[in-house]
Amino acid sequence: MLTLHVPSEGDAVLVADARVAALGPAAELAAAHPAARERRWAGVIGPGRCRADAAAWLESAYHPDPREELGSGPLDPAAVGPLDDARWGGSARRGLQRLLADGVTALVGPFTRLPVRTAVQRSGLPVLAGPREPVLAVGGPAHFAVRAPDGTCLATVVSGRIVYRRR
């Protein structure tokens, strides 16, 4: 399936499955691919971010559930009591959602805690051996973020799928 992501300014991105099929002016891409589904964004499309400290951030901090009334930021795990695998897994999923909400499209590993590693694998985010500057290029993976004029992330796309959208 073809999807044309059209920003309010800058080049549009045509995605075929999980790859970038074309980059360029929206009108030209729409004319060349009339069957493509269009997604319009009130922002600029660009490469996502690579989170170099993802392993430490997800494995050394507890990301609380809002229902726990412990705040919204990462906490020292010692401050919340013993964490079993279920709580570590939930923490990792919430931490990953926060990363996606920041336009992160790649993580640097390795991840040593099994529940964290499982959450990362299920997220679909690529895990790199070292930090790399993300690139948005024809033929490359369709990993990108849409940012509002103030820099906040409006949407994150990983492997051609919208994995985060600001409400």
Side-chain angles (χ1 to χ4, degrees):
M1 168 178 253
L2 290 175
T3 304
L4 181 60
H5 294 269
V6 180
S8 58
E9 57 184 76
D11 282 345
V13 178
L14 182 68
V15 174
D17 299 317
R19 313 289 294 166
V20 175
L23 298 166
E28 289 178 20
L29 293 178
H33 305 279
R37 173 179 56 183
E38 276 193 26
R39 298 241 186 236
R40 294 197 167 270
W41 301 104
V44 177
I45 296 174
R49 294 182 177 156
C50 176
R51 184 74 185 245
D53 66 343
W57 198 70
L58 292 171
E59 294 188 334
S60 301
Y62 179 71
H63 302 276
D65 185 311
R67 296 171 291 187
E68 293 178 295
E69 297 181 3
L70 295 172
S72 60
L75 301 171
D76 180 341
V80 296
L83 296 175
D84 60 9
D85 284 354
R87 284 188 80 192
W88 270 116
S91 169
R93 288 188 298 277
R94 290 184 295 274
L96 287 163
Q97 281 298 313
R98 290 180 180 118
L99 293 176
L100 293 171
D102 192 38
V104 171
T105 58
L107 308 173
V108 175
F111 296 91
T112 57
R113 287 188 190 275
L114 179 60
V116 174
R117 188 170 54 242
T118 300
V120 168
Q121 288 169 342
R122 289 180 178 168
S123 76
L125 285 167
V127 177
L128 310 174
R132 244 189 300 169
E133 190 67 33
V135 176
L136 190 58
V138 174
H143 305 324
F144 56 89
V146 182
R147 298 206 175 273
D150 67 0
T152 59
C153 183
L154 300 174
T156 304
V157 175
V158 175
S159 298
R161 291 180 32 241
I162 298 171
V163 293
Y164 168 79
R165 177 183 283 167
R166 189 172 83 183
R167 295 175 186 187

Coordinates of all heavy atoms in Angstrom, one line a residue, residues 66-143:
P66 N 0.2 6.5 35.2 CA -0.4 7.6 35.7 C -1.4 7.3 36.9 O -1.6 8.1 37.8 CB -1.2 8.2 34.6 CG -0.5 7.7 33.4 CD 0.1 6.4 33.7
R67 N -1.9 6.0 36.9 CA -2.8 5.6 37.9 C -2.1 5.4 39.3 O -2.8 5.3 40.3 CB -3.6 4.3 37.5 CG -4.5 4.6 36.3 CD -5.0 3.3 35.8 NE -3.9 2.5 35.2 CZ -4.0 1.4 34.5 NH1 -5.1 0.8 34.4 NH2 -2.9 0.8 34.1
E68 N -0.8 5.3 39.2 CA 0.0 5.1 40.4 C 0.2 6.4 41.2 O 0.6 6.3 42.4 CB 1.3 4.5 40.1 CG 1.3 3.1 39.6 CD 2.6 2.6 39.2 OE1 3.3 3.1 38.3 OE2 3.1 1.6 39.9
E69 N -0.1 7.5 40.6 CA 0.0 8.8 41.3 C 1.4 9.0 41.8 O 1.6 9.5 42.9 CB -1.1 9.0 42.4 CG -2.5 9.0 41.8 CD -3.5 9.2 42.8 OE1 -3.2 9.4 44.0 OE2 -4.7 9.2 42.5
L70 N 2.4 8.7 41.0 CA 3.8 8.9 41.4 C 4.5 9.9 40.5 O 5.7 10.1 40.6 CB 4.6 7.5 41.2 CG 4.2 6.4 42.1 CD1 4.9 5.1 41.7 CD2 4.5 6.7 43.6
G71 N 3.7 10.7 39.8 CA 4.2 11.7 38.8 C 4.3 11.1 37.4 O 3.9 10.0 37.2
S72 N 4.9 11.9 36.5 CA 5.0 11.4 35.2 C 6.4 11.2 34.7 O 6.6 10.6 33.6 CB 4.3 12.5 34.2 OG 5.0 13.7 34.4
G73 N 7.4 11.6 35.4 CA 8.8 11.4 35.0 C 9.4 10.2 35.5 O 8.8 9.5 36.4
P74 N 10.5 9.8 34.9 CA 11.2 8.6 35.4 C 11.6 8.7 36.8 O 12.0 9.8 37.3 CB 12.4 8.5 34.5 CG 12.2 9.5 33.4 CD 11.2 10.4 33.8
L75 N 11.6 7.6 37.6 CA 11.9 7.5 39.0 C 13.0 6.5 39.2 O 13.2 5.6 38.5 CB 10.7 7.1 39.8 CG 9.5 8.0 39.7 CD1 8.3 7.3 40.4 CD2 9.7 9.4 40.3
D76 N 13.7 6.7 40.3 CA 14.7 5.7 40.8 C 13.9 4.5 41.2 O 13.0 4.6 42.0 CB 15.5 6.3 42.0 CG 16.5 5.3 42.5 OD1 16.4 4.1 42.2 OD2 17.4 5.8 43.2
P77 N 14.2 3.3 40.6 CA 13.4 2.1 41.0 C 13.4 1.8 42.5 O 12.4 1.3 43.0 CB 14.2 1.0 40.2 CG 14.9 1.7 39.1 CD 15.2 3.0 39.6
A78 N 14.4 2.2 43.2 CA 14.4 1.9 44.7 C 13.3 2.7 45.4 O 12.9 2.3 46.4 CB 15.8 2.3 45.2
A79 N 12.9 3.8 44.8 CA 11.9 4.7 45.4 C 10.4 4.1 45.3 O 9.5 4.6 45.9 CB 11.9 6.1 44.8
V80 N 10.3 3.1 44.4 CA 8.9 2.5 44.2 C 8.7 1.1 44.7 O 7.7 0.5 44.5 CB 8.5 2.6 42.7 CG1 8.4 4.0 42.2 CG2 9.5 1.8 41.8
G81 N 9.8 0.6 45.4 CA 9.6 -0.7 45.9 C 10.1 -1.8 44.9 O 10.6 -1.5 43.8
P82 N 10.0 -3.1 45.3 CA 10.5 -4.1 44.5 C 9.7 -4.2 43.1 O 8.5 -4.0 43.1 CB 10.2 -5.4 45.3 CG 9.4 -5.0 46.5 CD 9.4 -3.5 46.5
L83 N 10.5 -4.4 42.1 CA 9.9 -4.5 40.7 C 10.1 -5.9 40.2 O 11.2 -6.4 40.0 CB 10.6 -3.5 39.8 CG 10.4 -2.0 40.1 CD1 11.3 -1.2 39.2 CD2 9.0 -1.6 40.1
D84 N 8.9 -6.6 39.9 CA 9.0 -7.9 39.3 C 9.0 -7.7 37.8 O 9.0 -6.5 37.3 CB 7.8 -8.7 39.8 CG 6.4 -8.1 39.4 OD1 6.4 -7.1 38.7 OD2 5.4 -8.7 39.9
D85 N 9.1 -8.8 37.0 CA 9.1 -8.7 35.6 C 7.9 -7.9 35.0 O 8.1 -7.2 34.0 CB 9.2 -10.1 35.0 CG 10.6 -10.6 35.1 OD1 11.5 -9.9 35.6 OD2 10.8 -11.8 34.7
A86 N 6.7 -8.1 35.6 CA 5.5 -7.5 35.0 C 5.6 -5.9 35.2 O 5.3 -5.2 34.2 CB 4.3 -8.0 35.7
R87 N 6.1 -5.5 36.3 CA 6.3 -4.0 36.5 C 7.4 -3.5 35.6 O 7.2 -2.4 35.1 CB 6.5 -3.7 38.0 CG 5.2 -3.8 38.8 CD 5.4 -3.3 40.2 NE 5.3 -1.8 40.2 CZ 5.6 -1.1 41.3 NH1 6.0 -1.7 42.4 NH2 5.5 0.2 41.2
W88 N 8.5 -4.2 35.5 CA 9.6 -3.7 34.6 C 9.1 -3.7 33.1 O 9.3 -2.7 32.4 CB 10.8 -4.6 34.6 CG 11.8 -4.2 35.7 CD1 12.1 -4.9 36.8 CD2 12.5 -3.0 35.7 NE1 13.1 -4.2 37.5 CE2 13.3 -3.0 36.9 CE3 12.6 -1.9 34.9 CZ2 14.2 -2.0 37.3 CZ3 13.4 -0.8 35.3 CH2 14.2 -0.9 36.4
G89 N 8.3 -4.6 32.7 CA 7.7 -4.6 31.4 C 6.8 -3.4 31.1 O 6.8 -2.7 30.1
G90 N 5.9 -3.2 32.1 CA 5.0 -2.0 32.0 C 5.8 -0.7 32.0 O 5.4 0.2 31.2
S91 N 6.8 -0.6 32.8 CA 7.6 0.6 32.9 C 8.3 0.8 31.5 O 8.3 1.9 31.0 CB 8.7 0.4 34.0 OG 9.6 1.4 33.9
A92 N 8.8 -0.3 30.9 CA 9.5 -0.2 29.6 C 8.5 0.3 28.6 O 8.8 1.1 27.7 CB 10.1 -1.5 29.3
R93 N 7.3 -0.3 28.6 CA 6.3 0.1 27.5 C 5.9 1.6 27.7 O 5.8 2.3 26.7 CB 5.1 -0.8 27.6 CG 5.3 -2.2 27.1 CD 4.0 -3.0 27.1 NE 3.4 -3.2 28.4 CZ 3.7 -4.1 29.2 NH1 4.7 -5.0 29.0 NH2 3.1 -4.2 30.4
R94 N 5.8 2.1 28.9 CA 5.5 3.5 29.1 C 6.7 4.4 28.7 O 6.5 5.4 28.1 CB 5.0 3.7 30.5 CG 3.7 3.1 30.9 CD 3.2 3.5 32.3 NE 4.0 2.9 33.3 CZ 3.9 1.7 33.8 NH1 3.0 0.9 33.3 NH2 4.7 1.2 34.8
G95 N 7.9 3.9 29.0 CA 9.1 4.6 28.6 C 9.2 4.7 27.1 O 9.5 5.8 26.5
L96 N 8.9 3.6 26.4 CA 8.9 3.6 25.0 C 7.9 4.5 24.4 O 8.2 5.2 23.4 CB 8.7 2.2 24.5 CG 9.9 1.2 24.7 CD1 9.5 -0.2 24.5 CD2 11.0 1.6 23.7
Q97 N 6.7 4.6 25.0 CA 5.7 5.5 24.5 C 6.2 7.0 24.6 O 6.0 7.8 23.7 CB 4.4 5.4 25.3 CG 3.6 4.2 24.8 CD 3.2 4.3 23.4 OE1 2.7 5.3 22.9 NE2 3.4 3.2 22.6
R98 N 6.9 7.3 25.7 CA 7.5 8.6 25.8 C 8.5 8.9 24.8 O 8.6 10.0 24.3 CB 8.0 8.8 27.2 CG 6.9 8.9 28.3 CD 7.4 9.0 29.7 NE 6.3 9.1 30.6 CZ 6.1 8.2 31.6 NH1 6.9 7.2 31.8 NH2 5.0 8.3 32.3
L99 N 9.3 7.9 24.4 CA 10.3 8.1 23.4 C 9.7 8.3 22.0 O 10.1 9.2 21.3 CB 11.3 6.9 23.3 CG 12.2 6.7 24.6 CD1 13.0 5.4 24.4 CD2 13.1 7.9 24.8
L100 N 8.6 7.5 21.7 CA 7.9 7.7 20.5 C 7.3 9.1 20.4 O 7.3 9.7 19.3 CB 6.9 6.6 20.3 CG 7.4 5.2 20.1 CD1 6.3 4.2 20.2 CD2 8.2 5.1 18.8
A101 N 6.8 9.6 21.5 CA 6.2 10.9 21.6 C 7.2 12.0 21.4 O 6.8 13.2 21.1 CB 5.5 11.1 22.9
D102 N 8.5 11.7 21.4 CA 9.6 12.6 21.2 C 10.2 12.5 19.8 O 11.1 13.1 19.5 CB 10.6 12.5 22.3 CG 11.6 13.6 22.3 OD1 11.2 14.8 22.1 OD2 12.8 13.3 22.5
G103 N 9.6 11.6 19.0 CA 10.1 11.4 17.6 C 11.3 10.4 17.5 O 12.0 10.4 16.5
V104 N 11.5 9.6 18.5 CA 12.6 8.6 18.5 C 12.2 7.5 17.6 O 11.1 6.9 17.7 CB 12.9 8.1 19.9 CG1 13.9 6.9 19.9 CG2 13.4 9.2 20.7
T105 N 13.1 7.1 16.6 CA 12.8 6.1 15.7 C 13.9 5.0 15.7 O 13.9 4.1 14.9 CB 12.7 6.6 14.2 OG1 13.9 7.3 13.9 CG2 11.5 7.5 14.1
A106 N 14.9 5.1 16.6 CA 15.9 4.1 16.7 C 16.5 4.2 18.2 O 16.5 5.3 18.8 CB 17.0 4.3 15.7
L107 N 16.9 3.0 18.7 CA 17.5 3.0 20.0 C 18.8 2.3 19.9 O 19.1 1.5 19.0 CB 16.6 2.1 20.9 CG 15.1 2.4 21.0 CD1 14.4 1.3 21.8 CD2 14.9 3.7 21.6
V108 N 19.7 2.7 20.9 CA 21.0 2.0 21.0 C 20.9 1.0 22.2 O 20.5 1.4 23.3 CB 22.1 3.0 21.2 CG1 23.4 2.3 21.5 CG2 22.2 3.9 20.0
G109 N 21.3 -0.2 21.9 CA 21.3 -1.3 22.9 C 22.7 -1.7 23.3 O 23.6 -0.9 23.0
P110 N 22.9 -2.8 23.9 CA 21.9 -3.9 24.1 C 21.0 -3.7 25.4 O 21.4 -2.9 26.2 CB 22.8 -5.1 24.3 CG 24.0 -4.6 24.9 CD 24.2 -3.2 24.3
F111 N 20.0 -4.4 25.4 CA 19.0 -4.4 26.5 C 19.2 -5.7 27.3 O 19.1 -6.8 26.7 CB 17.6 -4.2 26.1 CG 17.4 -2.8 25.4 CD1 17.6 -2.7 24.0 CD2 17.1 -1.7 26.2 CE1 17.5 -1.5 23.4 CE2 17.0 -0.5 25.5 CZ 17.2 -0.4 24.2
T112 N 19.5 -5.6 28.6 CA 19.9 -6.8 29.4 C 18.7 -7.3 30.2 O 18.6 -8.5 30.5 CB 21.1 -6.5 30.3 OG1 20.7 -5.4 31.1 CG2 22.3 -6.2 29.5
R113 N 17.8 -6.5 30.6 CA 16.6 -7.0 31.4 C 15.6 -7.6 30.4 O 15.2 -6.9 29.5 CB 15.9 -5.8 32.1 CG 16.7 -5.3 33.3 CD 15.8 -4.3 34.0 NE 16.5 -3.6 35.0 CZ 16.8 -4.1 36.3 NH1 16.3 -5.2 36.6 NH2 17.5 -3.3 37.1
L114 N 15.3 -8.8 30.6 CA 14.4 -9.6 29.7 C 13.0 -8.8 29.5 O 12.6 -8.7 28.3 CB 14.1 -11.0 30.2 CG 13.2 -11.8 29.3 CD1 13.7 -11.9 27.9 CD2 12.9 -13.2 29.9
P115 N 12.3 -8.3 30.5 CA 11.1 -7.6 30.2 C 11.2 -6.4 29.4 O 10.4 -6.0 28.6 CB 10.4 -7.3 31.5 CG 11.5 -7.7 32.6 CD 12.6 -8.5 31.9
V116 N 12.4 -5.7 29.6 CA 12.6 -4.5 28.8 C 13.0 -4.9 27.4 O 12.5 -4.3 26.4 CB 13.8 -3.7 29.4 CG1 14.2 -2.5 28.5 CG2 13.4 -3.2 30.8
R117 N 13.8 -5.9 27.2 CA 14.2 -6.3 25.9 C 12.9 -6.8 25.1 O 12.8 -6.5 23.9 CB 15.2 -7.5 26.0 CG 15.8 -7.9 24.6 CD 17.0 -8.9 24.7 NE 16.7 -10.0 25.6 CZ 17.3 -10.3 26.7 NH1 18.3 -9.6 27.1 NH2 17.0 -11.4 27.3
T118 N 12.0 -7.5 25.8 CA 10.8 -7.9 25.1 C 9.9 -6.7 24.7 O 9.4 -6.7 23.6 CB 10.0 -8.8 26.1 OG1 10.8 -10.0 26.4 CG2 8.7 -9.3 25.4
A119 N 9.8 -5.7 25.5 CA 9.0 -4.6 25.2 C 9.6 -3.8 24.0 O 8.9 -3.4 23.1 CB 8.9 -3.6 26.4
V120 N 11.0 -3.7 24.0 CA 11.7 -3.1 22.9 C 11.4 -3.8 21.6 O 11.1 -3.3 20.5 CB 13.2 -2.9 23.2 CG1 13.9 -2.5 21.9 CG2 13.4 -1.9 24.3
Q121 N 11.6 -5.2 21.6 CA 11.3 -6.0 20.4 C 9.9 -5.8 19.9 O 9.7 -5.7 18.7 CB 11.6 -7.5 20.7 CG 13.1 -7.8 20.9 CD 13.4 -9.2 21.4 OE1 12.5 -9.8 22.0 NE2 14.6 -9.6 21.3
R122 N 9.0 -5.8 20.8 CA 7.5 -5.7 20.4 C 7.2 -4.3 19.8 O 6.3 -4.1 19.1 CB 6.6 -6.0 21.5 CG 6.6 -7.5 21.8 CD 5.7 -7.8 23.0 NE 5.7 -9.2 23.2 CZ 5.2 -9.8 24.3 NH1 4.6 -9.0 25.2 NH2 5.2 -11.1 24.5
S123 N 8.0 -3.3 20.2 CA 7.8 -1.9 19.8 C 8.0 -1.7 18.3 O 7.5 -0.8 17.7 CB 8.6 -0.9 20.6 OG 10.0 -0.9 20.1
G124 N 8.9 -2.6 17.7 CA 9.3 -2.4 16.3 C 10.4 -1.4 16.1 O 10.9 -1.3 15.0
L125 N 10.9 -0.8 17.2 CA 12.0 0.2 17.0 C 13.3 -0.5 16.7 O 13.6 -1.5 17.4 CB 12.1 1.0 18.3 CG 11.1 2.1 18.5 CD1 11.2 2.7 19.9 CD2 11.3 3.2 17.5
P126 N 14.0 -0.1 15.7 CA 15.3 -0.7 15.5 C 16.3 -0.5 16.6 O 16.3 0.6 17.2 CB 15.8 -0.1 14.2 CG 14.8 1.0 13.8 CD 13.7 1.0 14.8
V127 N 17.0 -1.5 16.9 CA 18.1 -1.4 18.0 C 19.4 -1.4 17.3 O 19.8 -2.4 16.6 CB 17.9 -2.5 19.0 CG1 19.1 -2.4 20.1 CG2 16.6 -2.5 19.7
L128 N 20.2 -0.4 17.5 CA 21.5 -0.2 16.9 C 22.6 -0.6 17.9 O 22.4 -0.4 19.1 CB 21.7 1.2 16.4 CG 20.5 1.8 15.5 CD1 20.8 3.2 15.2 CD2 20.4 0.9 14.2
A129 N 23.8 -0.9 17.4 CA 24.9 -1.2 18.3 C 25.6 0.1 18.8 O 26.2 0.1 19.8 CB 25.9 -2.1 17.5
G130 N 25.4 1.2 18.0 CA 26.0 2.4 18.4 C 25.1 3.6 17.8 O 24.3 3.3 16.9
P131 N 25.3 4.8 18.3 CA 24.5 5.9 17.8 C 24.8 6.2 16.4 O 25.9 6.1 15.9 CB 25.0 7.1 18.7 CG 26.1 6.6 19.5 CD 26.3 5.2 19.4
R132 N 23.8 6.5 15.6 CA 23.8 6.9 14.2 C 22.9 8.0 14.0 O 21.8 8.0 14.5 CB 23.4 5.7 13.4 CG 24.5 5.1 12.5 CD 24.1 4.1 11.5 NE 23.5 3.0 12.2 CZ 22.8 2.0 11.6 NH1 22.6 2.1 10.3 NH2 22.3 1.0 12.3
E133 N 23.3 8.9 13.1 CA 22.4 10.0 12.7 C 21.3 9.4 11.8 O 21.7 8.9 10.7 CB 23.2 11.1 12.1 CG 22.4 12.4 11.8 CD 22.0 13.1 13.1 OE1 22.8 13.0 14.1 OE2 21.0 13.7 13.2
P134 N 20.0 9.5 12.1 CA 19.0 9.0 11.2 C 19.0 9.8 9.9 O 19.2 11.0 9.9 CB 17.7 9.1 12.0 CG 18.1 9.3 13.4 CD 19.5 9.9 13.4
V135 N 18.7 9.0 8.8 CA 18.6 9.6 7.5 C 17.3 9.2 6.8 O 16.9 8.1 7.0 CB 19.8 9.2 6.6 CG1 19.7 9.7 5.2 CG2 21.1 9.6 7.2
L136 N 16.7 10.2 6.2 CA 15.4 9.9 5.4 C 15.8 9.9 3.9 O 16.2 10.9 3.4 CB 14.4 10.9 5.7 CG 13.0 10.7 5.2 CD1 12.4 9.4 5.8 CD2 12.1 11.9 5.7
A137 N 15.8 8.7 3.3 CA 16.3 8.6 2.0 C 15.5 7.6 1.2 O 15.0 6.6 1.7 CB 17.8 8.1 1.9
V138 N 15.3 7.8 -0.1 CA 14.6 6.9 -1.0 C 15.3 5.5 -0.9 O 16.5 5.4 -1.0 CB 14.6 7.4 -2.5 CG1 14.0 6.4 -3.4 CG2 13.9 8.7 -2.5
G139 N 14.4 4.5 -0.7 CA 14.9 3.1 -0.6 C 15.2 2.7 0.8 O 15.3 1.5 1.1
G140 N 15.4 3.7 1.7 CA 15.7 3.4 3.1 C 14.4 3.1 3.9 O 13.3 3.2 3.4
P141 N 14.6 2.8 5.1 CA 13.4 2.5 6.0 C 12.6 3.7 6.2 O 13.1 4.8 6.3 CB 14.0 2.0 7.3 CG 15.4 2.5 7.3 CD 15.8 2.6 5.9
A142 N 11.3 3.5 6.3 CA 10.3 4.6 6.5 C 10.2 4.9 8.0 O 9.2 4.6 8.6 CB 9.0 4.3 5.8
H143 N 11.3 5.5 8.5 CA 11.3 5.9 9.9 C 11.5 7.4 9.9 O 12.5 7.9 9.5 CB 12.5 5.3 10.6 CG 12.7 3.9 10.6 ND1 11.6 3.0 10.6 CD2 13.8 3.1 10.5 CE1 12.1 1.7 10.6 NE2 13.4 1.8 10.5

